[in-house]
Amino acid sequence: MLLYDSAISGNCYKVRLLFAKLGIAYDRRELSVFDRSDRPEVLGELNPALRVPTLVLDDGRALAESGAILYHFAEGTELVPDDAFERAQVLQWMFFEQYNHEPNIAVLRFWNEAGTVHTDQEVQAKRAGGEAALQAMERHLGDRTFLVGERCTIADLALYAYTHLAPEGGFSLQPYPAITAWLARVADQPGHVAIDD
Amino acid sequence: MLLYDSAISGNCYKVRLLFAKLGIAYDRRELSVFDRSDRPEVLGELNPALRVPTLVLDDGRALAESGAILYHFAEGTELVPDDAFERAQVLQWMFFEQYNHEPNIAVLRFWNEAGTVHTDQEVQAKRAGGEAALQAMERHLGDRTFLVGERCTIADLALYAYTHLAPEGGFSLQPYPAITAWLARVADQPGHVAIDD
């Protein structure tokens, strides 16, 4: 399989992390997340959103969206619960990540990396949205080991990616002891790889 | 079951539409999408994101995020494909909806409804993002009947909700004949209900 990838994208890291854990082999092709001018040409026929990660299977079919890729390859493994309701909770956290977490925390990190200029109001809105997402995680993880069902699932992998990178977006994790302990637990799971491995 | 609901929310409408199709009975409790001050008290223990829809099952367990609710209740019905790759494509479109489509098209509609004031730059960014999402759908639907596998799935229900409401956000669907024909096909499926039914 061929993964259209970005070394610094947390969304791409989720896929690499899962594939490392499952021992799935694939090739990587790096696309820039700064200069996206080649995206229509490269991804136009593969992914309507023109984003990475985009995965091309050996038979030529393409699959996009980190959440869809994670769910597809992890289904049937111990990283997706057998119980139907717990599977739904896993999806709930993955949709939460893409709607409430990533657009704030990952985007502030990206603005830092890209050096783009934004108004104070824009930055403050992202900052507030990101803190709200972290507070929601902190409350939930306060009396839990992992996000769903007390064991590590793809929900944890999906949320780990940009949460452990949140300091690069200017977020301090100091006020979030439950998150900090959970990040260490996720990183301690078998087959873990770092974003720059 | 009890659905914490909003009559005008497209995300809540997705759940009502699915439940109508599947003949699932539930009670509704309306929450305001304008004054959200009661959200921590009402949803604090149920949904970390404090958003509607939030569904409380008869045993008291809660499930949130429209995508997770749709997938959970439709799994095993004809609205979710049997084929694993097609199921992944369904999830791909549902993640696309929550990341690329809803935050632009639904948010511009909401700003209109709520009468909130935003800069031209903010409105233009949402406008551009919404048009890009519609263009991606138009390209995909140009030679297809439905989004995945040539029959109606929860991906179509998820995208139908805010696409058919896009004119309320100031988007014209005139330039999108494939989308317009697809909207009519989705609305023509068995058990369809309107947002205000």
Side-chain angles (χ1 to χ4, degrees):
Chain A
M1 296 191 296
L2 174 62
L3 178 66
Y4 287 93
D5 192 25
S6 156
I8 69 158
S9 155
N11 288 320
C12 293
Y13 169 51
K14 295 171 196 171
V15 176
R16 299 197 304 270
L17 176 54
L18 177 74
F19 284 3
K21 282 177 179 282
L22 298 180
I24 293 174
Y26 61 102
D27 294 317
R28 292 166 67 166
R29 176 166 166 196
E30 180 80 10
L31 295 186
S32 173
V33 290
F34 302 115
D35 174 4
R36 301 184 186 211
S37 59
D38 60 348
R39 293 285 179 94
E41 187 193 338
V42 178
L43 297 182
E45 300 298 311
L46 302 173
N47 177 359
L50 304 179
R51 294 169 64 215
V52 288
T54 298
L55 185 71
V56 182
L57 279 61
D58 288 336
D59 63 10
R61 293 183 299 178
L63 187 60
E65 301 294 333
S66 58
I69 296 171
L70 260 59
Y71 199 89
H72 181 59
F73 285 92
E75 214 179 350
T77 77
E78 61 186 8
L79 292 166
V80 172
D82 289 333
D83 178 73
F85 187 75
E86 287 187 354
R87 279 202 303 277
Q89 291 178 307
V90 164
L91 283 177
Q92 174 185 320
W93 280 105
M94 292 167 75
F95 279 107
F96 167 87
E97 194 268 344
Q98 286 288 286
Y99 194 88
N100 291 78
H101 187 289
E102 202 264 20
N104 296 303
I105 294 172
V107 168
L108 269 188
R109 170 177 175 262
F110 179 76
W111 288 355
N112 276 352
E113 303 269 351
T116 51
V117 176
H118 301 274
T119 66
D120 283 354
Q121 200 186 350
E122 286 176 306
V123 171
Q124 281 162 22
K126 296 287 182 196
R127 176 88 46 222
E131 296 289 353
L134 294 171
Q135 286 158 17
M137 291 177 70
E138 180 72 14
R139 279 195 305 274
H140 185 76
L141 289 167
D143 55 1
R144 291 178 176 86
T145 319
F146 293 103
L147 288 167
V148 177
E150 296 300 301
R151 62 162 208 259
C152 187
T153 69
I154 51 172
D156 299 288
L157 306 190
L159 269 299
Y160 177 86
Y162 282 113
T163 304
H164 94 292
L165 298 171
E168 296 181 8
F171 294 91
S172 169
L173 294 178
Q174 191 97 37
Y176 303 113
I179 289 178
T180 303
W182 163 82
L183 286 174
R185 279 193 295 275
V186 175
D188 202 38
Q189 291 291 301
H192 188 80
V193 292
I195 189 168
D196 55 1
D197 275 353
Chain B
M1 297 191 295
L2 174 62
L3 178 66
Y4 287 93
D5 192 25
S6 155
I8 68 158
S9 155
N11 287 321
C12 293
Y13 169 52
K14 295 172 197 171
V15 177
R16 299 198 303 272
L17 176 55
L18 178 74
F19 284 3
K21 282 177 178 284
L22 299 181
I24 293 174
Y26 62 101
D27 294 318
R28 291 166 65 166
R29 176 165 166 196
E30 180 80 10
L31 294 186
S32 173
V33 289
F34 302 115
D35 175 6
R36 302 185 185 209
S37 58
D38 61 349
R39 293 285 179 92
E41 188 192 337
V42 177
L43 297 182
E45 300 299 311
L46 302 172
N47 177 359
L50 304 179
R51 294 169 64 214
V52 289
T54 298
L55 184 71
V56 182
L57 278 61
D58 289 337
D59 63 12
R61 291 183 300 178
L63 187 60
E65 300 294 333
S66 58
I69 297 172
L70 259 59
Y71 199 89
H72 181 60
F73 285 93
E75 213 178 352
T77 77
E78 61 186 8
L79 292 166
V80 172
D82 289 334
D83 178 73
F85 187 75
E86 287 187 354
R87 279 203 302 278
Q89 290 178 307
V90 164
L91 282 177
Q92 175 185 320
W93 280 104
M94 293 168 75
F95 278 108
F96 168 87
E97 195 268 344
Q98 286 288 286
Y99 194 88
N100 290 78
H101 186 287
E102 202 264 21
N104 295 303
I105 295 173
V107 168
L108 268 189
R109 171 177 175 262
F110 179 75
W111 288 355
N112 276 351
E113 303 268 351
T116 51
V117 176
H118 300 274
T119 65
D120 282 354
Q121 200 187 350
E122 286 175 308
V123 171
Q124 280 162 21
K126 297 286 183 196
R127 176 88 46 221
E131 296 289 355
L134 294 171
Q135 286 158 16
M137 291 177 68
E138 180 72 13
R139 279 196 305 275
H140 185 77
L141 289 167
D143 55 0
R144 289 177 177 88
T145 319
F146 294 104
L147 288 167
V148 178
E150 295 300 300
R151 62 162 207 260
C152 187
T153 69
I154 51 173
D156 299 288
L157 306 189
L159 270 298
Y160 177 86
Y162 282 113
T163 304
H164 94 292
L165 297 171
E168 297 181 8
F171 293 91
S172 169
L173 294 178
Q174 193 95 39
Y176 303 111
I179 289 178
T180 303
W182 164 82
L183 286 174
R185 279 193 295 275
V186 175
D188 202 38
Q189 291 292 298
H192 187 81
V193 293
I195 188 168
D196 56 1
D197 274 353

